[in-house]
Amino acid sequence: MSLGTVRVSDFNELEKNIVYSMKQKDVIGFDIFDTIIRRRLEPEVIKDLVAKYAVDLIYKETKQKLDWELIRKKRFDLEVTLGTRNEALGFDHEFIYEDFLNEWIDSFNVSLDKKMLFDILYEKEIQLEMSSQALTPNIKNVLKRLHDENKTIIFISDMYFSIEVIWRFLDNLGVSQFFHKGFCSSQTLTKKMTGKLFEFVMKTESIKPNEMLFVGDNVYSDAKMASSKGIDVIHISDKSEKKRRTGLNLHHWAANRNDFWKGKYLEYVVKNISEHIKEEQNPNYRLGLLVSPILILFVLYIMEQSKKNDLNRIVFLAREGKVFYDIYNKIITTFKLENQYPPATYLYVSRKSTFLPSMKEFSWKEIERFMVQYSKQSINSLLSNLSLPNEIYHKYALEVGLGNFDEIIENPKENEKFLNFINHEDVRALFIKHRDEAKNNFKEYIKQEGIWGLDKVAFVDIGWKGTIQDNITRTFEEDDDFPYVYGYYVGLITGHNEWGKKSDKFGFFADSRENNHINNVIFKNGSIFEMCTTPNHGTTIGYYRENGKIHPKLKSFEVEKENFNKHFADVFQAIDDYLQDFLTVYPLLQDQTQQLKFYFIDQIRRYILYPSKQEVKSFFEYSHVESFGVFEVTTFNFKGNLLKELFKRPISKAPYRIKEIIRKQMWPEAILRNLKIPFLNFLADLNSTRKQ
């Protein structure tokens, strides 16, 4: 019984159509590309990447500069030449990849071992292809069903790669075991699109047309030509797959014309075939997906800088640095890059654990370093911030008349009792003892972690002022064996903080020295990055010695545990899921992070300046524990009373009072969004932009 051509409009409908159509068929043939295998990048883009890789490799080995676009054009011309040459010999317009690659390398005219270059480029293109490939939806179930029905399954493909390479592709995707045999155009120099490859298969395998069912996506090569040879056909024309490929081509077209779209193209490549990112997403998970590419690009930026500055080690600072540490190690181990990039260290530190070792003496000048930011201090909070044992110092506070240890010290710079306390000879001597003990423990901890004695290291953290870096370099910059420190931050705010002679700092997404009001929007809600990257292991409050080693002393807060379990476990899961899909396409990434970041900055700008109602609602459920400077739980919901300010006298000043109270909120744009006044966020953004 002849079925003719059966059209299937959805990959998920393929199985039931094959079950119906295969009953009288002994052999089921499949097209490979876009039927069994789909690609995250179009084939011509893979060829672009190979040309760029070849040029980079040649420059690295010989310092000879070649134009990758010229090399790419040579490939195009050579493919046409080889195909035409074989046509003149009576074959179809096809060529053998190995023949092409040899001639292509000859055209480079470089003084490199050609066999070495051949082997490297051959394997590189195959690896790029495999990174780009994924199975089409439900196809594995289809193949397994046919295999269980004892059908003979073969593949027939128009492809310049050899049959052995196609088997590698199928094996890499876990479906090679279902196929009994395969045929490709480079093997015979005959193609499906002329019908000759179908004739070759039927002749060599002694298959009659009515014994075979062929499945493919191409309306001409797979459907029309197979049907013209008397073979029944299932033609797949999946609308969602066509939409995906159209989007892929449009994004690639745009990326070639503007750096903004390079980031959008990257995100599309990651998400258009995702194996880990979940479709059903709660607001916390969506927040994780929003920040994930920024965190990953930041780590890639660190990797770029490590080569540029010849760094010996990358030191990720607790706690927010833990996410970057994990991403870095995942990239390094997944792609076996251990010999190309510096080893990584996760350093348990905090502002609290590093401030005491960094102090020169117990004086107002030294204390002012943090009181300029956290001015409301009592004796107890001051001692706690300096990691000093409260009880020992209380008697000296009593001596100078500071009897209430929890009372805020007013005007400390001119407060006679307070100045007498910090200038007390016994207090200063006691302080030096505690400072030196903390400094020695911290120094031993740093040595223990392999940082001491190196030439150049990176400190990596979220930001924003790099206080921990300042504390550490201030503590040890006079030691010859302490390395030069490059501080890398997602965002960096410079100002009153001055780093020493063995230290420098850089902000990747935003750096206040650049005075870029677009990028600086990130500072309007930096808390979101801190909360999305804070692991659940507690903050470092000091160091202690045990069994001959120095260990960090950690303190956990119950509210943080609740926060993590209720909200941020989903954020971390999203980051991990996004990273898993990103790692799949990482080998396909060619652009530098500076080119890719613009789109993702725009996404964060949108979130901060124009949040959705759901984003605001979710954010207001979060809280953050402050464990240095002030000891409190920070919440982000509105604080104040707009109605009270509205009707407070003088009424004429009400707009200014309301504006000021909104400005002082942790996230003013979220408050504006909740007021539900049309275009209010836009007007606020416009006003802010005009000022800058």
Side-chain angles (χ1 to χ4, degrees), residues 238-249:
D238 189 293
K239 291 181 180 178
S240 62
E241 180 62 9
K242 288 181 178 179
K243 181 180 178 181
R244 182 191 72 83
R245 292 186 65 188
T246 299
L248 195 60
N249 286 316

Side-chain angles (χ1 to χ4, degrees), residues 277-295:
I277 296 172
K278 297 175 180 60
E279 292 184 10
E280 295 297 326
Q281 304 165 358
N282 64 45
N284 302 319
Y285 190 90
R286 287 199 296 271
L287 177 58
L289 294 184
L290 176 72
V291 301
S292 295
I294 286 181
L295 306 181

